[in-house]
Amino acid sequence: MQNNAKKILVAMHLGNGYGSQPGAWRMPGVDPESFTNFDVMVKQAQAAERGKLHFLFFPDGPASERDIETQPPGPNIDVMMTMAAIARETKRIGLVATGSTTFNEPFNLARHFKALDVMSHGRAGWNAVTSSTDDTAAYYGKRIPSSEERYGRAHEMIQLMQALWGSWGKDAWVHNKENSEFTKKGAINAINLQGEYVGASGPLYVPPSAQGQPVIVHGGGSPNAHELAGRFANVVVGATFTIDDARAQRKAFRDAAKRYSRDPDEIKFFAGLMTTIAKDRRTALDRRIQLTESNFPERVAYLQRMLGIPLDINRLNEPLNQAQLTNARPSPYDPRSAHALKIAKEGWSLRDIIAHGVIDYHPVIVGPGVEAADHMQEWFEAGAVDGFWITPDVNADGIDAFVDEVVPILQQRGLFHEDYEGETFRANLGVPDQYGIDPRIMNHKNK
Amino acid sequence: MQNNAKKILVAMHLGNGYGSQPGAWRMPGVDPESFTNFDVMVKQAQAAERGKLHFLFFPDGPASERDIETQPPGPNIDVMMTMAAIARETKRIGLVATGSTTFNEPFNLARHFKALDVMSHGRAGWNAVTSSTDDTAAYYGKRIPSSEERYGRAHEMIQLMQALWGSWGKDAWVHNKENSEFTKKGAINAINLQGEYVGASGPLYVPPSAQGQPVIVHGGGSPNAHELAGRFANVVVGATFTIDDARAQRKAFRDAAKRYSRDPDEIKFFAGLMTTIAKDRRTALDRRIQLTESNFPERVAYLQRMLGIPLDINRLNEPLNQAQLTNARPSPYDPRSAHALKIAKEGWSLRDIIAHGVIDYHPVIVGPGVEAADHMQEWFEAGAVDGFWITPDVNADGIDAFVDEVVPILQQRGLFHEDYEGETFRANLGVPDQYGIDPRIMNHKNK
Ligand SMILES: Cc1cc2nc3c(=O)[nH]c(=O)nc-3n(C[C@H](O)[C@H](O)[C@H](O)COP(=O)(O)O)c2cc1C
Ligand SMILES: Cc1cc2nc3c(=O)[nH]c(=O)nc-3n(C[C@H](O)[C@H](O)[C@H](O)COP(=O)(O)O)c2cc1C
């Protein structure tokens, strides 16, 4: 046990309350109303907290990419309201919700997140993303702005929100009944910032939380994302399929942090990992087949393009033949292709190849907990990540499976903490408290 | 007991968690951190629910009007996050939060309120106000738009939000595991509305709540407010000092509802009432003196103008003399002046006149519970109101005082329900469930 060594950070993605796989809502034991059942979502949060996971993560975005007649919408019903419910019924786990920098007013969003931070006693994080799809813009009767505008606004939004968060300084709130001093004289500052895209006078009348203010998180991977996250974020939730790519991404974010005079260890890079945990590979594959069978025709079609060979939807039970394996050429346009071919070469049937999750958004573990632990250890020890954000197949039992089957192995290997280090999200991440805009980045002008 | 007769509706204003009076935060037994203590706010909500009150009301707006060095900000820390906390720890009481139609995007606000409605099982209400002060606009780095623009946008906002709320029809959400039917084919509709001020494509991916969608509430009293509330609202929270004025306001809202082809009984007019309840008038006055003494100099100065006579701040202990009473002329510009003079003529000292709350935002009861009950009965039986929204002096014991000292008297007189009529806010208000835009107002174009 290497108890003083750096440990893996782990987040849990709760999403719409069902889980990531299209059939999750129909699984036995799953409340088909999980989408609107806050008891269910609170219970899932508590399960993740039982495993000492560092934070819950709610992405957010358009609900249009799914066939709503047979599947639930992808996003959570309302990430802020759900987090408020969860905040009151958990104690230590961090609470990261996504909020668009493109389609929110800084004052409104700053207030919601600071209130969440205060009500959770210092456990909030804001995933500050730029909205990038026309579907999202249409919710607002608008078009997606250019990349330049989106990121220009994002830089201003984060600065403004942090300034608003800092408008009551660390020691501003005295609330001394004896001498009638509610706040310290002169300690509450208007901010009066007006940028090119957004402005606010402040002050925001919310005192500091136990960690000062919410943690900035960013989901993205482009050069613009490096710049934004390097400047402001303590957490990056990434999407990456290989150790080499993850290492390069992590380095890009750390280098960007240095450019803004920050300590690169203050920015933690999280790779995604999807899980179907079961007692053995076969049981896990069967579970995934049950969850995704309706999507098989489109997945077979897609796999053909990934491998550059024709595949027969009527031969799902058969492994690829020697000719197919010989002719297969992993597509250079899809970073998952090499892994898909590796699985195919292991001799699995076409159905099982797909059930390995070779066409999912992140690397997928389909098997016993030790396979997840091995994957995490390998990436972590290769310097590719600081942590992982886990997306279970079915929340109802997939969170418990991770907590019961993966966490203990990581702990035994000295790779995961035995308990929360502190009371706040920042304490548990190992990043400093913050009050207002980080002075180190003040001298760096918006580009 | 007239058990089938129409009864008084009652709401409780929780505000910043301390109470309406500037000294509330310093009273014995008050947690000086109530502003950020969600346990405190939940407890207050539960106290109001114990009294079977119809709804909780959170106004919202700029925090700049108070001296923050000695007094808490007026508004709640964050009305939506607070309501989310309260929703999970109450069962029947309605939850009305204020949201500006001027400074919110319809999709964001629609989603928060619908989520609140769903998580509370049909108890949400939206106080749809236009923001009217420069202080509020400055939070957004903006100027206050013209009245025409503000109300033009407000009409569009409410229509858009209701359309978004209705985008999943009443029976749209099937979630039938057997046949894989998540939503009914064709029952989810995009709305694709684009107005002059705001637009949204929809659909909003939130199913109907137990009452369909949130109740529209409006706080206002101008002709613009009559038009907006008459068209959309089921509840109006008003500000009025006399029965005659209240009756006229109520009629104006009811007449406006008729102009939009609605049943005027579907719009409920609430007058404000502030309370300092104690065992007798003297005890109540002393409590109010303790709560407000720091404001006495400015109040005396203001009372001079209300009565048109000089008053001496050094003679707080003495009643007005005969010459003062004879020369007093109630100001025609302040509707509270006549009542102030009436109290003065009863022979109270200058300090006690002010302690009667003659310069507060609403009529004030300073005395035993029966005085509040009498006031409410008189106004109600005069056809001036459908109900009252109560603002206690100190939340920590003022809510309990209302529930224990006023509610039972109203119940004995057959003027207040013995228990909630139904499970939803609409059921308890006696207004119909709603799904989307009310078809009766569809033919009335925006002006
Ligand atoms: C792991 C990850 C998570 C993301 N989460 C969200 C999200 O929840 N909501 C959202 O609108 N965008 C999300 N994004 C999208 C990014 O914010 C960004 O819009 C997208 O990557 C396009 O980036 P670009 O404009 O820099 O090319 C995420 C991106 C990544 C890589
Ligand atoms: C009883 C009452 C409650 C109100 N509550 C709020 C509120 O919580 N927040 C707010 O911004 N405005 C509130 N208003 C203000 C109105 O929305 C409106 O802006 C103001 O009355 C000016 O109206 P006018 O533009 O129609 O003249 C309230 C008004 C009244 C009478």
Side-chain angles (χ1 to χ4, degrees), chain A residues 338-368:
Chain A
H339 178 69
L341 183 56
K342 174 174 165 282
I343 298 292
K345 286 187 172 160
E346 288 174 11
W348 301 96
S349 70
L350 179 53
R351 176 183 284 106
D352 285 344
I353 295 170
I354 292 169
H356 272 85
V358 296
I359 317 182
D360 250 302
Y361 297 113
H362 301 283
V364 181
I365 302 297
V366 184

Side-chain angles (χ1 to χ4, degrees), chain A residues 18 25-30 32-33 35-36 38-39 42 60-61 63 68-73 75-81 84-85 88-89 103-105 107-108 111-112 115-116 118-119 138-142 168 173 175-177 180-183 185-186 188 194 199-203 205-207, chain B residues 18 25-30 32-33 35-36 38-39 42 60-61 63 68-73 75-81 84-85 88-89 103-105 107-108 111-112 115-116 118-119 138-142 168 173 175-177 180-183 185-186 188 194 199-203 205-207:
Chain A
Y18 296 107
W25 73 277
R26 299 201 295 120
M27 290 294 270
V30 172
E33 295 192 15
F35 184 51
T36 59
F38 286 78
D39 292 338
V42 165
D60 200 28
I68 199 91
E69 284 165 20
T70 59
Q71 294 170 34
N76 174 275
I77 184 173
D78 185 290
V79 296
M80 294 314 292
M81 302 300 277
R88 301 246 336 135
E89 298 175 58
F103 296 116
N104 277 288
E105 290 286 352
F107 184 79
N108 295 338
R111 195 172 166 202
H112 292 329
L116 178 66
V118 163
M119 80 192 282
Y139 285 146
Y140 301 91
K142 295 182 179 157
W168 283 38
W173 197 26
H175 57 70
N176 180 342
K177 283 186 179 186
S180 255
E181 192 180 3
F182 192 74
T183 60
K185 203 175 164 70
I188 310 285
Q194 186 67 50
S201 62
Y205 43 92
V206 183
Chain B
Y18 296 107
W25 72 278
R26 299 202 294 121
M27 290 292 270
V30 172
E33 296 193 15
F35 184 51
T36 58
F38 287 78
D39 292 338
V42 164
D60 200 28
I68 199 92
E69 284 166 19
T70 60
Q71 295 170 33
N76 174 276
I77 184 173
D78 185 291
V79 297
M80 294 314 292
M81 301 301 276
R88 299 244 338 133
E89 298 175 58
F103 296 117
N104 276 289
E105 290 285 351
F107 184 80
N108 295 339
R111 194 172 167 202
H112 292 328
L116 179 66
V118 163
M119 81 192 281
Y139 286 146
Y140 302 91
K142 296 183 180 157
W168 284 39
W173 197 25
H175 56 68
N176 181 342
K177 284 185 179 188
S180 255
E181 193 180 3
F182 191 73
T183 60
K185 203 176 164 70
I188 309 285
Q194 185 68 49
S201 61
Y205 44 90
V206 183

